Amino acid sequence: MSAAPELRVIEGGDAARTDEELLQDFLGGREHAFAELVRRHERAVRAVARRYVAEPDDVLDLAQRAFLRALQSARRGRWLGLGRVPPFQALVLRIAVNLGKNHARDRARWARAPVETLDEVEVPPTGSARLERDERRDAVRRAVLRLPRRQREVLTLRIDAELSFAEIARVLSITENNAKVHFHHATRRLAALVAQDGSGPGGRPS
Amino acid sequence: MKPCAEYAPLIAERASGPVDPAEAARVARHLDACDACRAEAVRVGELLDRARVPDAGALEEREAAALPRRLAAAARRPLPAPPRWALALAAGLAVAVVAVPVELYRLRAAVRSAPAVALSGGAPRGERTVVASSDGVTDADALADTAWELSNDAEADVLDQQ
């Protein structure tokens, strides 16, 4: 039988504790600990969610589900005595990416152009420079979703969730060098897609 | 003009967010001296800027402020109980995990000892040599019994075929 988790008090409060310590605290009965974990990672999780969903309510819903599922996975891993439960940040971001992809896939079943649809809201027929810039921006964001899976994951974790390459490597269970290589390919591919669509700097969206 | 192959990946990494300070300084020194790489830095910087997701709106930020408290409350609730069929399946698997190897072991030991019994021409049960662990007399006797029964069954089969 495993011993009950030991609760320790460290000066500096929750902010000074690692994710794993906070998780341990929460599982040992300290409820604030989970709130601190959420506070720490919710911005990155919401940024990942915004890549796939447009409505604020959907973003928040996806973020909540990601946190609760990550908690479930961590709990289950501990109950089963699995030695290698991924770090909480990796767990929650990986789940957020998967939920986002599922959301995009489900929308694709209901609409012919799922991810694009929201971006293609009625654009007034005007030639203002600002509108053109916005259109180009939307076209580039749509092009991100056309990248191969791993390249897209690495790119979005870098520019949306603002993770370091070491963190991206942990989230995706790859090496840091591999993450950099995928990122490099992603930027080159994205530039090619954008050039093909004519939505690059100075270009017009197709 | 093409950017230098050695620096192109570093330029993109630097344009996408914080990188190792020593590496960032090395790239900065190179950019001071290389027009092609400087142009590449501007181009990739614009591209990644356009590729970023939009910032959260005021509505999302307002709702997100309540997220930690709301999630901590939701997390307090125990996990939903697994369905009954899952419990039954788990119990069945647990039994199978224990029972199957034991039964296999018994059968293997019995089969190993069966020819010896047949060759011995039905020697008294107590004198048979049974390949078994040194768990104790009781186990050895039980295995001997099984072997004896199996050999009898085999003889019965042969007789049936005749």
Side-chain angles (χ1 to χ4, degrees), chain A residues 72-93:
Chain A
Q72 270 187 16
S73 293
R75 268 175 172 161
R76 218 174 282 136
R78 272 152 214 271
W79 280 349
L80 297 175
L82 300 179
R84 283 169 55 86
V85 179
F88 189 78
Q89 183 198 35
L91 212 48
V92 73
L93 283 170

Side-chain angles (χ1 to χ4, degrees), chain B residues 56-116:
Chain B
L59 175 66
E60 185 189 314
E61 287 294 357
R62 211 169 33 245
E63 292 285 317
L67 210 54
R69 187 174 38 77
R70 201 185 311 155
L71 275 169
R76 272 200 300 267
R77 285 176 225 133
L79 290 179
R84 282 185 184 180
W85 64 262
L87 287 175
L89 182 67
L93 281 175
V95 169
V97 163
V98 174
V100 168
V102 169
E103 200 53 38
L104 279 177
Y105 174 78
R106 283 172 55 117
L107 278 174
R108 242 186 244 134
V111 168
R112 271 203 299 273
S113 60

Side-chain angles (χ1 to χ4, degrees), chain A residues 26-43:
Chain A
F26 174 75
L27 297 177
R30 271 198 62 228
E31 287 157 10
H32 308 316
F34 190 63
E36 173 60 23
L37 262 181
V38 174
R39 214 166 282 128
R40 225 172 249 193
H41 300 297
E42 59 93 11
R43 198 162 284 278

